mmCIF file of all heavy atoms in Angstrom:
data_model
loop_
_atom_site.group_PDB
_atom_site.id
_atom_site.type_symbol
_atom_site.label_atom_id
_atom_site.label_comp_id
_atom_site.label_asym_id
_atom_site.label_seq_id
_atom_site.Cartn_x
_atom_site.Cartn_y
_atom_site.Cartn_z
ATOM 1 N N MET Q 17 -64.162 166.696 71.238
ATOM 2 C CA MET Q 17 -65.588 166.904 71.461
ATOM 3 C C MET Q 17 -66.375 166.706 70.170
ATOM 4 O O MET Q 17 -67.458 166.131 70.200
ATOM 5 C CB MET Q 17 -65.782 168.316 72.032
ATOM 6 C CG MET Q 17 -67.171 168.602 72.473
ATOM 7 S SD MET Q 17 -67.499 167.627 73.951
ATOM 8 C CE MET Q 17 -69.125 168.113 74.271
ATOM 9 N N VAL Q 18 -65.801 167.177 69.060
ATOM 10 C CA VAL Q 18 -66.493 167.017 67.778
ATOM 11 C C VAL Q 18 -66.562 165.538 67.399
ATOM 12 O O VAL Q 18 -67.574 165.057 66.907
ATOM 13 C CB VAL Q 18 -65.781 167.840 66.669
ATOM 14 C CG1 VAL Q 18 -66.389 167.553 65.310
ATOM 15 C CG2 VAL Q 18 -65.843 169.318 66.987
ATOM 16 N N GLY Q 19 -65.484 164.807 67.668
ATOM 17 C CA GLY Q 19 -65.464 163.376 67.379
ATOM 18 C C GLY Q 19 -66.506 162.629 68.176
ATOM 19 O O GLY Q 19 -67.129 161.683 67.691
ATOM 20 N N LEU Q 20 -66.689 163.058 69.434
ATOM 21 C CA LEU Q 20 -67.691 162.420 70.277
ATOM 22 C C LEU Q 20 -69.095 162.676 69.742
ATOM 23 O O LEU Q 20 -69.940 161.781 69.709
ATOM 24 C CB LEU Q 20 -67.567 162.936 71.713
ATOM 25 C CG LEU Q 20 -68.516 162.332 72.737
ATOM 26 C CD1 LEU Q 20 -68.269 160.840 72.856
ATOM 27 C CD2 LEU Q 20 -68.340 163.005 74.084
ATOM 28 N N ALA Q 21 -69.342 163.901 69.273
ATOM 29 C CA ALA Q 21 -70.651 164.239 68.722
ATOM 30 C C ALA Q 21 -70.916 163.460 67.437
ATOM 31 O O ALA Q 21 -72.038 162.975 67.206
ATOM 32 C CB ALA Q 21 -70.752 165.737 68.460
ATOM 33 N N LEU Q 22 -69.877 163.306 66.599
ATOM 34 C CA LEU Q 22 -70.047 162.529 65.363
ATOM 35 C C LEU Q 22 -70.268 161.052 65.686
ATOM 36 O O LEU Q 22 -71.067 160.380 65.035
ATOM 37 C CB LEU Q 22 -68.828 162.698 64.461
ATOM 38 C CG LEU Q 22 -68.668 164.065 63.799
ATOM 39 C CD1 LEU Q 22 -67.374 164.104 63.001
ATOM 40 C CD2 LEU Q 22 -69.845 164.361 62.895
ATOM 41 N N SER Q 23 -69.572 160.568 66.683
ATOM 42 C CA SER Q 23 -69.744 159.181 67.089
ATOM 43 C C SER Q 23 -71.164 158.950 67.609
ATOM 44 O O SER Q 23 -71.784 157.933 67.302
ATOM 45 C CB SER Q 23 -68.726 158.825 68.167
ATOM 46 O OG SER Q 23 -68.941 157.532 68.639
ATOM 47 N N LEU Q 24 -71.666 159.875 68.382
ATOM 48 C CA LEU Q 24 -73.030 159.768 68.907
ATOM 49 C C LEU Q 24 -74.050 159.811 67.773
ATOM 50 O O LEU Q 24 -75.003 159.041 67.747
ATOM 51 C CB LEU Q 24 -73.298 160.893 69.908
ATOM 52 C CG LEU Q 24 -74.690 160.905 70.542
ATOM 53 C CD1 LEU Q 24 -74.900 159.635 71.354
ATOM 54 C CD2 LEU Q 24 -74.870 162.128 71.409
ATOM 55 N N GLY Q 25 -73.827 160.700 66.817
ATOM 56 C CA GLY Q 25 -74.724 160.786 65.662
ATOM 57 C C GLY Q 25 -74.715 159.507 64.849
ATOM 58 O O GLY Q 25 -75.754 159.044 64.377
ATOM 59 N N GLY Q 26 -73.521 158.925 64.698
ATOM 60 C CA GLY Q 26 -73.414 157.662 63.969
ATOM 61 C C GLY Q 26 -74.140 156.533 64.685
ATOM 62 O O GLY Q 26 -74.792 155.704 64.053
ATOM 63 N N GLU Q 27 -74.014 156.509 66.006
ATOM 64 C CA GLU Q 27 -74.705 155.482 66.787
ATOM 65 C C GLU Q 27 -76.226 155.633 66.693
ATOM 66 O O GLU Q 27 -76.950 154.648 66.560
ATOM 67 C CB GLU Q 27 -74.287 155.552 68.258
ATOM 68 C CG GLU Q 27 -72.910 155.009 68.527
ATOM 69 C CD GLU Q 27 -72.858 153.501 68.370
ATOM 70 O OE1 GLU Q 27 -73.822 152.826 68.770
ATOM 71 O OE2 GLU Q 27 -71.849 153.018 67.830
ATOM 72 N N ILE Q 28 -76.696 156.858 66.751
ATOM 73 C CA ILE Q 28 -78.139 157.107 66.641
ATOM 74 C C ILE Q 28 -78.646 156.690 65.268
ATOM 75 O O ILE Q 28 -79.697 156.041 65.145
ATOM 76 C CB ILE Q 28 -78.468 158.589 66.937
ATOM 77 C CG1 ILE Q 28 -78.221 158.878 68.413
ATOM 78 C CG2 ILE Q 28 -79.901 158.912 66.548
ATOM 79 C CD1 ILE Q 28 -78.309 160.334 68.786
ATOM 80 N N ALA Q 29 -77.893 157.023 64.217
ATOM 81 C CA ALA Q 29 -78.294 156.639 62.863
ATOM 82 C C ALA Q 29 -78.299 155.120 62.712
ATOM 83 O O ALA Q 29 -79.222 154.547 62.122
ATOM 84 C CB ALA Q 29 -77.357 157.273 61.845
ATOM 85 N N PHE Q 30 -77.281 154.474 63.254
ATOM 86 C CA PHE Q 30 -77.201 153.014 63.175
ATOM 87 C C PHE Q 30 -78.392 152.365 63.865
ATOM 88 O O PHE Q 30 -79.017 151.455 63.321
ATOM 89 C CB PHE Q 30 -75.895 152.527 63.810
ATOM 90 C CG PHE Q 30 -75.800 151.040 63.932
ATOM 91 C CD1 PHE Q 30 -75.537 150.259 62.818
ATOM 92 C CD2 PHE Q 30 -75.976 150.419 65.158
ATOM 93 C CE1 PHE Q 30 -75.454 148.878 62.921
ATOM 94 C CE2 PHE Q 30 -75.891 149.046 65.270
ATOM 95 C CZ PHE Q 30 -75.627 148.278 64.153
ATOM 96 N N GLU Q 31 -78.725 152.822 65.049
ATOM 97 C CA GLU Q 31 -79.851 152.254 65.787
ATOM 98 C C GLU Q 31 -81.174 152.538 65.085
ATOM 99 O O GLU Q 31 -82.076 151.691 65.081
ATOM 100 C CB GLU Q 31 -79.885 152.792 67.227
ATOM 101 C CG GLU Q 31 -78.730 152.318 68.081
ATOM 102 C CD GLU Q 31 -78.727 150.824 68.303
ATOM 103 O OE1 GLU Q 31 -79.809 150.202 68.340
ATOM 104 O OE2 GLU Q 31 -77.626 150.264 68.454
ATOM 105 N N ALA Q 32 -81.317 153.712 64.488
ATOM 106 C CA ALA Q 32 -82.550 154.040 63.762
ATOM 107 C C ALA Q 32 -82.715 153.132 62.549
ATOM 108 O O ALA Q 32 -83.816 152.608 62.295
ATOM 109 C CB ALA Q 32 -82.534 155.504 63.339
ATOM 110 N N ILE Q 33 -81.635 152.911 61.825
ATOM 111 C CA ILE Q 33 -81.692 152.039 60.651
ATOM 112 C C ILE Q 33 -81.983 150.604 61.078
ATOM 113 O O ILE Q 33 -82.784 149.902 60.456
ATOM 114 C CB ILE Q 33 -80.380 152.132 59.844
ATOM 115 C CG1 ILE Q 33 -80.280 153.509 59.194
ATOM 116 C CG2 ILE Q 33 -80.297 151.045 58.794
ATOM 117 C CD1 ILE Q 33 -78.932 153.813 58.575
ATOM 118 N N ARG Q 34 -81.360 150.165 62.159
ATOM 119 C CA ARG Q 34 -81.603 148.821 62.665
ATOM 120 C C ARG Q 34 -83.061 148.646 63.096
ATOM 121 O O ARG Q 34 -83.679 147.611 62.836
ATOM 122 C CB ARG Q 34 -80.671 148.537 63.840
ATOM 123 C CG ARG Q 34 -80.612 147.071 64.194
ATOM 124 C CD ARG Q 34 -79.571 146.805 65.228
ATOM 125 N NE ARG Q 34 -80.198 146.992 66.530
ATOM 126 C CZ ARG Q 34 -79.633 146.670 67.683
ATOM 127 N NH1 ARG Q 34 -78.404 146.220 67.696
ATOM 128 N NH2 ARG Q 34 -80.282 146.821 68.806
ATOM 129 N N PHE Q 35 -83.620 149.674 63.716
ATOM 130 C CA PHE Q 35 -85.027 149.635 64.130
ATOM 131 C C PHE Q 35 -85.943 149.501 62.922
ATOM 132 O O PHE Q 35 -86.880 148.691 62.926
ATOM 133 C CB PHE Q 35 -85.374 150.894 64.927
ATOM 134 C CG PHE Q 35 -86.825 151.002 65.282
ATOM 135 C CD1 PHE Q 35 -87.363 150.224 66.286
ATOM 136 C CD2 PHE Q 35 -87.657 151.882 64.604
ATOM 137 C CE1 PHE Q 35 -88.709 150.312 66.612
ATOM 138 C CE2 PHE Q 35 -88.993 151.980 64.920
ATOM 139 C CZ PHE Q 35 -89.523 151.194 65.928
ATOM 140 N N VAL Q 36 -85.684 150.268 61.884
ATOM 141 C CA VAL Q 36 -86.519 150.219 60.679
ATOM 142 C C VAL Q 36 -86.428 148.843 60.031
ATOM 143 O O VAL Q 36 -87.442 148.278 59.598
ATOM 144 C CB VAL Q 36 -86.118 151.340 59.699
ATOM 145 C CG1 VAL Q 36 -86.787 151.156 58.343
ATOM 146 C CG2 VAL Q 36 -86.463 152.703 60.278
ATOM 147 N N ILE Q 37 -85.234 148.285 59.970
ATOM 148 C CA ILE Q 37 -85.069 146.961 59.364
ATOM 149 C C ILE Q 37 -85.826 145.912 60.173
ATOM 150 O O ILE Q 37 -86.516 145.052 59.607
ATOM 151 C CB ILE Q 37 -83.574 146.604 59.244
ATOM 152 C CG1 ILE Q 37 -82.924 147.475 58.167
ATOM 153 C CG2 ILE Q 37 -83.385 145.134 58.905
ATOM 154 C CD1 ILE Q 37 -81.420 147.364 58.109
ATOM 155 N N MET Q 38 -85.712 145.960 61.486
ATOM 156 C CA MET Q 38 -86.432 144.998 62.324
ATOM 157 C C MET Q 38 -87.946 145.153 62.168
ATOM 158 O O MET Q 38 -88.683 144.165 62.134
ATOM 159 C CB MET Q 38 -86.046 145.164 63.797
ATOM 160 C CG MET Q 38 -84.649 144.777 64.095
ATOM 161 S SD MET Q 38 -84.403 143.040 63.810
ATOM 162 C CE MET Q 38 -82.671 142.902 64.138
ATOM 163 N N LEU Q 39 -88.410 146.378 62.063
ATOM 164 C CA LEU Q 39 -89.833 146.630 61.864
ATOM 165 C C LEU Q 39 -90.301 146.061 60.529
ATOM 166 O O LEU Q 39 -91.363 145.432 60.445
ATOM 167 C CB LEU Q 39 -90.114 148.130 61.942
ATOM 168 C CG LEU Q 39 -91.559 148.563 61.986
ATOM 169 C CD1 LEU Q 39 -92.239 148.010 63.233
ATOM 170 C CD2 LEU Q 39 -91.656 150.078 61.977
ATOM 171 N N LEU Q 40 -89.518 146.241 59.481
ATOM 172 C CA LEU Q 40 -89.867 145.690 58.177
ATOM 173 C C LEU Q 40 -89.882 144.162 58.198
ATOM 174 O O LEU Q 40 -90.760 143.538 57.589
ATOM 175 C CB LEU Q 40 -88.894 146.194 57.105
ATOM 176 C CG LEU Q 40 -89.017 147.667 56.740
ATOM 177 C CD1 LEU Q 40 -87.907 148.067 55.784
ATOM 178 C CD2 LEU Q 40 -90.372 147.969 56.134
ATOM 179 N N LEU Q 41 -88.930 143.571 58.901
ATOM 180 C CA LEU Q 41 -88.930 142.110 59.021
ATOM 181 C C LEU Q 41 -90.159 141.601 59.765
ATOM 182 O O LEU Q 41 -90.729 140.568 59.403
ATOM 183 C CB LEU Q 41 -87.654 141.640 59.730
ATOM 184 C CG LEU Q 41 -86.372 141.717 58.913
ATOM 185 C CD1 LEU Q 41 -85.173 141.375 59.796
ATOM 186 C CD2 LEU Q 41 -86.426 140.792 57.718
ATOM 187 N N LEU Q 42 -90.578 142.322 60.778
ATOM 188 C CA LEU Q 42 -91.778 141.948 61.517
ATOM 189 C C LEU Q 42 -93.017 142.016 60.624
ATOM 190 O O LEU Q 42 -93.844 141.101 60.615
ATOM 191 C CB LEU Q 42 -91.950 142.848 62.738
ATOM 192 C CG LEU Q 42 -93.167 142.600 63.606
ATOM 193 C CD1 LEU Q 42 -93.078 141.232 64.249
ATOM 194 C CD2 LEU Q 42 -93.290 143.666 64.665
ATOM 195 N N VAL Q 43 -93.140 143.072 59.859
ATOM 196 C CA VAL Q 43 -94.285 143.226 58.951
ATOM 197 C C VAL Q 43 -94.261 142.127 57.895
ATOM 198 O O VAL Q 43 -95.296 141.530 57.576
ATOM 199 C CB VAL Q 43 -94.268 144.637 58.312
ATOM 200 C CG1 VAL Q 43 -95.275 144.738 57.186
ATOM 201 C CG2 VAL Q 43 -94.538 145.691 59.367
ATOM 202 N N LEU Q 44 -93.083 141.831 57.364
ATOM 203 C CA LEU Q 44 -92.956 140.773 56.373
ATOM 204 C C LEU Q 44 -93.363 139.427 56.958
ATOM 205 O O LEU Q 44 -94.065 138.642 56.316
ATOM 206 C CB LEU Q 44 -91.514 140.716 55.859
ATOM 207 C CG LEU Q 44 -91.204 139.637 54.836
ATOM 208 C CD1 LEU Q 44 -91.947 139.911 53.536
ATOM 209 C CD2 LEU Q 44 -89.711 139.561 54.588
ATOM 210 N N ALA Q 45 -92.958 139.160 58.184
ATOM 211 C CA ALA Q 45 -93.314 137.898 58.839
ATOM 212 C C ALA Q 45 -94.820 137.782 59.026
ATOM 213 O O ALA Q 45 -95.399 136.698 58.858
ATOM 214 C CB ALA Q 45 -92.601 137.789 60.177
ATOM 215 N N VAL Q 46 -95.486 138.882 59.345
ATOM 216 C CA VAL Q 46 -96.937 138.856 59.522
ATOM 217 C C VAL Q 46 -97.631 138.554 58.194
ATOM 218 O O VAL Q 46 -98.556 137.733 58.138
ATOM 219 C CB VAL Q 46 -97.438 140.191 60.119
ATOM 220 C CG1 VAL Q 46 -98.946 140.293 60.039
ATOM 221 C CG2 VAL Q 46 -96.959 140.334 61.551
ATOM 222 N N PHE Q 47 -97.179 139.177 57.110
ATOM 223 C CA PHE Q 47 -97.795 138.924 55.811
ATOM 224 C C PHE Q 47 -97.554 137.492 55.346
ATOM 225 O O PHE Q 47 -98.467 136.825 54.857
ATOM 226 C CB PHE Q 47 -97.267 139.903 54.754
ATOM 227 C CG PHE Q 47 -97.932 141.254 54.804
ATOM 228 C CD1 PHE Q 47 -97.192 142.396 55.020
ATOM 229 C CD2 PHE Q 47 -99.304 141.379 54.640
ATOM 230 C CE1 PHE Q 47 -97.796 143.634 55.081
ATOM 231 C CE2 PHE Q 47 -99.923 142.615 54.688
ATOM 232 C CZ PHE Q 47 -99.170 143.749 54.906
ATOM 233 N N VAL Q 48 -96.345 137.001 55.512
ATOM 234 C CA VAL Q 48 -96.037 135.633 55.089
ATOM 235 C C VAL Q 48 -96.840 134.640 55.929
ATOM 236 O O VAL Q 48 -97.395 133.674 55.394
ATOM 237 C CB VAL Q 48 -94.518 135.362 55.191
ATOM 238 C CG1 VAL Q 48 -94.211 133.892 55.021
ATOM 239 C CG2 VAL Q 48 -93.766 136.178 54.153
ATOM 240 N N GLY Q 49 -96.930 134.871 57.227
ATOM 241 C CA GLY Q 49 -97.712 134.000 58.093
ATOM 242 C C GLY Q 49 -99.181 133.989 57.708
ATOM 243 O O GLY Q 49 -99.834 132.947 57.734
ATOM 244 N N GLY Q 50 -99.709 135.147 57.338
ATOM 245 C CA GLY Q 50 -101.105 135.227 56.899
ATOM 246 C C GLY Q 50 -101.343 134.438 55.632
ATOM 247 O O GLY Q 50 -102.354 133.730 55.499
ATOM 248 N N LYS Q 51 -100.426 134.545 54.689
ATOM 249 C CA LYS Q 51 -100.579 133.805 53.434
ATOM 250 C C LYS Q 51 -100.474 132.303 53.665
ATOM 251 O O LYS Q 51 -101.243 131.528 53.096
ATOM 252 C CB LYS Q 51 -99.538 134.267 52.421
ATOM 253 C CG LYS Q 51 -99.783 135.674 51.919
ATOM 254 C CD LYS Q 51 -99.133 135.907 50.589
ATOM 255 C CE LYS Q 51 -99.420 137.305 50.125
ATOM 256 N NZ LYS Q 51 -100.664 137.401 49.407
ATOM 257 N N ILE Q 52 -99.534 131.891 54.511
ATOM 258 C CA ILE Q 52 -99.393 130.466 54.806
ATOM 259 C C ILE Q 52 -100.648 129.942 55.489
ATOM 260 O O ILE Q 52 -101.138 128.860 55.177
ATOM 261 C CB ILE Q 52 -98.138 130.219 55.673
ATOM 262 C CG1 ILE Q 52 -96.877 130.452 54.844
ATOM 263 C CG2 ILE Q 52 -98.138 128.810 56.241
ATOM 264 C CD1 ILE Q 52 -95.602 130.419 55.652
ATOM 265 N N ARG Q 53 -101.189 130.730 56.403
ATOM 266 C CA ARG Q 53 -102.400 130.292 57.108
ATOM 267 C C ARG Q 53 -103.576 130.161 56.145
ATOM 268 O O ARG Q 53 -104.371 129.220 56.239
ATOM 269 C CB ARG Q 53 -102.733 131.278 58.226
ATOM 270 C CG ARG Q 53 -103.901 130.829 59.051
ATOM 271 C CD ARG Q 53 -104.112 131.714 60.238
ATOM 272 N NE ARG Q 53 -105.250 131.259 60.991
ATOM 273 C CZ ARG Q 53 -105.164 130.612 62.138
ATOM 274 N NH1 ARG Q 53 -103.995 130.382 62.664
ATOM 275 N NH2 ARG Q 53 -106.241 130.226 62.767
ATOM 276 N N LYS Q 54 -103.715 131.086 55.193
ATOM 277 C CA LYS Q 54 -104.802 130.991 54.219
ATOM 278 C C LYS Q 54 -104.683 129.726 53.385
ATOM 279 O O LYS Q 54 -105.673 129.039 53.131
ATOM 280 C CB LYS Q 54 -104.787 132.210 53.297
ATOM 281 C CG LYS Q 54 -105.368 133.447 53.909
ATOM 282 C CD LYS Q 54 -105.368 134.590 52.908
ATOM 283 C CE LYS Q 54 -105.864 135.858 53.540
ATOM 284 N NZ LYS Q 54 -105.819 136.993 52.595
ATOM 285 N N VAL Q 55 -103.464 129.412 52.967
ATOM 286 C CA VAL Q 55 -103.251 128.208 52.152
ATOM 287 C C VAL Q 55 -103.580 126.959 52.960
ATOM 288 O O VAL Q 55 -104.267 126.054 52.463
ATOM 289 C CB VAL Q 55 -101.791 128.161 51.635
ATOM 290 C CG1 VAL Q 55 -101.468 126.806 51.040
ATOM 291 C CG2 VAL Q 55 -101.554 129.258 50.616
ATOM 292 N N LEU Q 56 -103.108 126.913 54.193
ATOM 293 C CA LEU Q 56 -103.373 125.738 55.020
ATOM 294 C C LEU Q 56 -104.860 125.599 55.357
ATOM 295 O O LEU Q 56 -105.391 124.483 55.374
ATOM 296 C CB LEU Q 56 -102.542 125.795 56.300
ATOM 297 C CG LEU Q 56 -101.033 125.640 56.111
ATOM 298 C CD1 LEU Q 56 -100.317 125.781 57.439
ATOM 299 C CD2 LEU Q 56 -100.692 124.328 55.447
ATOM 300 N N ASP Q 57 -105.529 126.725 55.611
ATOM 301 C CA ASP Q 57 -106.967 126.672 55.887
ATOM 302 C C ASP Q 57 -107.746 126.214 54.662
ATOM 303 O O ASP Q 57 -108.700 125.439 54.775
ATOM 304 C CB ASP Q 57 -107.479 128.034 56.356
ATOM 305 C CG ASP Q 57 -107.057 128.352 57.779
ATOM 306 O OD1 ASP Q 57 -106.591 127.435 58.489
ATOM 307 O OD2 ASP Q 57 -107.197 129.535 58.176
ATOM 308 N N ALA Q 58 -107.349 126.675 53.485
ATOM 309 C CA ALA Q 58 -108.027 126.262 52.262
ATOM 310 C C ALA Q 58 -107.808 124.773 52.012
ATOM 311 O O ALA Q 58 -108.738 124.058 51.611
ATOM 312 C CB ALA Q 58 -107.515 127.075 51.073
ATOM 313 N N ARG Q 59 -106.602 124.305 52.268
ATOM 314 C CA ARG Q 59 -106.309 122.889 52.085
ATOM 315 C C ARG Q 59 -107.136 122.034 53.053
ATOM 316 O O ARG Q 59 -107.679 121.002 52.684
ATOM 317 C CB ARG Q 59 -104.817 122.630 52.313
ATOM 318 C CG ARG Q 59 -104.395 121.218 51.969
ATOM 319 C CD ARG Q 59 -102.923 121.013 52.178
ATOM 320 N NE ARG Q 59 -102.153 121.887 51.312
ATOM 321 C CZ ARG Q 59 -100.868 122.149 51.490
ATOM 322 N NH1 ARG Q 59 -100.216 121.613 52.499
ATOM 323 N NH2 ARG Q 59 -100.223 122.946 50.658
ATOM 324 N N LYS Q 60 -107.245 122.494 54.279
ATOM 325 C CA LYS Q 60 -108.018 121.766 55.282
ATOM 326 C C LYS Q 60 -109.502 121.751 54.909
ATOM 327 O O LYS Q 60 -110.173 120.730 55.033
ATOM 328 C CB LYS Q 60 -107.829 122.418 56.650
ATOM 329 C CG LYS Q 60 -108.474 121.679 57.780
ATOM 330 C CD LYS Q 60 -108.164 122.349 59.108
ATOM 331 C CE LYS Q 60 -108.803 121.649 60.271
ATOM 332 N NZ LYS Q 60 -108.527 122.321 61.546
ATOM 333 N N ALA Q 61 -110.017 122.884 54.434
ATOM 334 C CA ALA Q 61 -111.421 122.963 54.052
ATOM 335 C C ALA Q 61 -111.719 122.053 52.863
ATOM 336 O O ALA Q 61 -112.759 121.380 52.831
ATOM 337 C CB ALA Q 61 -111.791 124.402 53.716
ATOM 338 N N SER Q 62 -110.819 122.009 51.892
ATOM 339 C CA SER Q 62 -111.052 121.135 50.740
ATOM 340 C C SER Q 62 -110.974 119.668 51.146
ATOM 341 O O SER Q 62 -111.730 118.848 50.642
ATOM 342 C CB SER Q 62 -110.052 121.440 49.626
ATOM 343 O OG SER Q 62 -108.744 121.071 50.017
ATOM 344 N N LYS Q 63 -110.074 119.340 52.059
ATOM 345 C CA LYS Q 63 -109.974 117.965 52.535
ATOM 346 C C LYS Q 63 -111.253 117.558 53.259
ATOM 347 O O LYS Q 63 -111.769 116.461 53.066
ATOM 348 C CB LYS Q 63 -108.778 117.822 53.459
ATOM 349 C CG LYS Q 63 -108.516 116.425 53.920
ATOM 350 C CD LYS Q 63 -107.268 116.364 54.800
ATOM 351 C CE LYS Q 63 -107.024 114.963 55.312
ATOM 352 N NZ LYS Q 63 -105.859 114.897 56.188
ATOM 353 N N LEU Q 64 -111.784 118.454 54.095
ATOM 354 C CA LEU Q 64 -113.030 118.161 54.797
ATOM 355 C C LEU Q 64 -114.195 118.024 53.820
ATOM 356 O O LEU Q 64 -115.078 117.184 54.010
ATOM 357 C CB LEU Q 64 -113.325 119.243 55.826
ATOM 358 C CG LEU Q 64 -112.429 119.254 57.066
ATOM 359 C CD1 LEU Q 64 -112.743 120.471 57.935
ATOM 360 C CD2 LEU Q 64 -112.614 117.973 57.851
ATOM 361 N N ALA Q 65 -114.213 118.840 52.779
ATOM 362 C CA ALA Q 65 -115.284 118.759 51.787
ATOM 363 C C ALA Q 65 -115.231 117.436 51.041
ATOM 364 O O ALA Q 65 -116.270 116.818 50.770
ATOM 365 C CB ALA Q 65 -115.183 119.924 50.811
ATOM 366 N N VAL Q 66 -114.022 116.991 50.714
ATOM 367 C CA VAL Q 66 -113.882 115.710 50.017
ATOM 368 C C VAL Q 66 -114.327 114.569 50.930
ATOM 369 O O VAL Q 66 -115.044 113.665 50.496
ATOM 370 C CB VAL Q 66 -112.415 115.507 49.555
ATOM 371 C CG1 VAL Q 66 -112.175 114.072 49.124
ATOM 372 C CG2 VAL Q 66 -112.082 116.472 48.444
ATOM 373 N N GLU Q 67 -113.919 114.612 52.189
ATOM 374 C CA GLU Q 67 -114.335 113.565 53.125
ATOM 375 C C GLU Q 67 -115.848 113.560 53.316
ATOM 376 O O GLU Q 67 -116.467 112.507 53.405
ATOM 377 C CB GLU Q 67 -113.631 113.750 54.472
ATOM 378 C CG GLU Q 67 -112.157 113.430 54.436
ATOM 379 C CD GLU Q 67 -111.456 113.728 55.746
ATOM 380 O OE1 GLU Q 67 -112.121 114.229 56.684
ATOM 381 O OE2 GLU Q 67 -110.259 113.457 55.836
ATOM 382 N N GLU Q 68 -116.441 114.734 53.362
ATOM 383 C CA GLU Q 68 -117.893 114.828 53.537
ATOM 384 C C GLU Q 68 -118.621 114.281 52.322
ATOM 385 O O GLU Q 68 -119.622 113.586 52.442
ATOM 386 C CB GLU Q 68 -118.287 116.280 53.786
ATOM 387 C CG GLU Q 68 -119.752 116.476 54.107
ATOM 388 C CD GLU Q 68 -120.070 117.911 54.428
ATOM 389 O OE1 GLU Q 68 -119.384 118.487 55.271
ATOM 390 O OE2 GLU Q 68 -121.012 118.441 53.799
ATOM 391 N N SER Q 69 -118.129 114.573 51.140
ATOM 392 C CA SER Q 69 -118.775 114.078 49.925
ATOM 393 C C SER Q 69 -118.612 112.567 49.828
ATOM 394 O O SER Q 69 -119.505 111.872 49.323
ATOM 395 C CB SER Q 69 -118.212 114.754 48.692
ATOM 396 O OG SER Q 69 -116.862 114.396 48.490
ATOM 397 N N GLU Q 70 -117.487 112.012 50.293
ATOM 398 C CA GLU Q 70 -117.304 110.576 50.262
ATOM 399 C C GLU Q 70 -118.250 109.878 51.224
ATOM 400 O O GLU Q 70 -118.782 108.812 50.916
ATOM 401 C CB GLU Q 70 -115.860 110.224 50.611
ATOM 402 C CG GLU Q 70 -114.870 110.564 49.544
ATOM 403 C CD GLU Q 70 -113.429 110.285 49.957
ATOM 404 O OE1 GLU Q 70 -113.184 109.966 51.131
ATOM 405 O OE2 GLU Q 70 -112.554 110.426 49.096
ATOM 406 N N THR Q 71 -118.497 110.480 52.378
ATOM 407 C CA THR Q 71 -119.427 109.856 53.325
ATOM 408 C C THR Q 71 -120.856 109.935 52.784
ATOM 409 O O THR Q 71 -121.659 109.032 53.045
ATOM 410 C CB THR Q 71 -119.346 110.517 54.705
ATOM 411 O OG1 THR Q 71 -119.617 111.910 54.586
ATOM 412 C CG2 THR Q 71 -118.005 110.289 55.339
ATOM 413 N N ASP Q 72 -121.195 110.980 52.040
ATOM 414 C CA ASP Q 72 -122.536 111.082 51.459
ATOM 415 C C ASP Q 72 -122.738 110.007 50.389
ATOM 416 O O ASP Q 72 -123.839 109.459 50.247
ATOM 417 C CB ASP Q 72 -122.746 112.462 50.852
ATOM 418 C CG ASP Q 72 -122.882 113.546 51.912
ATOM 419 O OD1 ASP Q 72 -123.135 113.185 53.081
ATOM 420 O OD2 ASP Q 72 -122.729 114.733 51.578
ATOM 421 N N ILE Q 73 -121.709 109.717 49.643
ATOM 422 C CA ILE Q 73 -121.831 108.730 48.560
ATOM 423 C C ILE Q 73 -122.006 107.329 49.144
ATOM 424 O O ILE Q 73 -122.821 106.543 48.661
ATOM 425 C CB ILE Q 73 -120.590 108.796 47.641
ATOM 426 C CG1 ILE Q 73 -120.562 110.126 46.910
ATOM 427 C CG2 ILE Q 73 -120.570 107.631 46.658
ATOM 428 C CD1 ILE Q 73 -119.282 110.375 46.126
ATOM 429 N N THR Q 74 -121.283 107.025 50.179
ATOM 430 C CA THR Q 74 -121.350 105.665 50.747
ATOM 431 C C THR Q 74 -122.616 105.418 51.540
ATOM 432 O O THR Q 74 -122.988 104.269 51.775
ATOM 433 C CB THR Q 74 -120.115 105.387 51.640
ATOM 434 O OG1 THR Q 74 -120.058 106.360 52.676
ATOM 435 C CG2 THR Q 74 -118.842 105.409 50.831
ATOM 436 N N GLU Q 75 -123.283 106.423 51.985
ATOM 437 C CA GLU Q 75 -124.493 106.235 52.798
ATOM 438 C C GLU Q 75 -125.679 105.996 51.973
ATOM 439 O O GLU Q 75 -126.183 105.797 51.132
ATOM 440 C CB GLU Q 75 -124.756 107.480 53.661
ATOM 441 C CG GLU Q 75 -123.751 107.596 54.753
ATOM 442 C CD GLU Q 75 -123.994 108.860 55.603
ATOM 443 O OE1 GLU Q 75 -124.875 109.665 55.261
ATOM 444 O OE2 GLU Q 75 -123.292 109.019 56.574
#
């Protein structure tokens, strides 16, 4: 009976640790995705600005 209780406690601890790790990975993915999106948006905005300035010069 004691072995069963220790086994159950170990399983609960394992699942709790696994949950925390998965949660941290999710948060990390959100932050990395946000940073990538900012870089891509800035690159797109600068490209549009360059294209707009080129059309102003040629007109």
Side-chain angles (χ1 to χ4, degrees):
M17 187 70 180
V18 173
L20 182 62
L22 289 177
S23 176
L24 180 63
E27 285 290 321
I28 291 171
F30 173 75
E31 292 296 329
I33 291 170
R34 194 173 87 171
F35 175 75
V36 170
I37 289 171
M38 292 295 177
L39 190 62
L40 290 174
L41 287 173
L42 179 65
V43 169
L44 179 67
V46 168
F47 279 121
V48 169
K51 291 203 179 273
I52 290 172
R53 184 173 179 105
K54 282 182 184 178
V55 168
L56 292 177
D57 286 347
R59 187 179 298 164
K60 185 176 179 181
S62 68
K63 185 178 178 182
L64 288 174
V66 167
E67 289 175 358
E68 185 176 309
S69 66
E70 288 176 352
T71 57
D72 289 343
I73 293 172
T74 58
E75 289 179 355

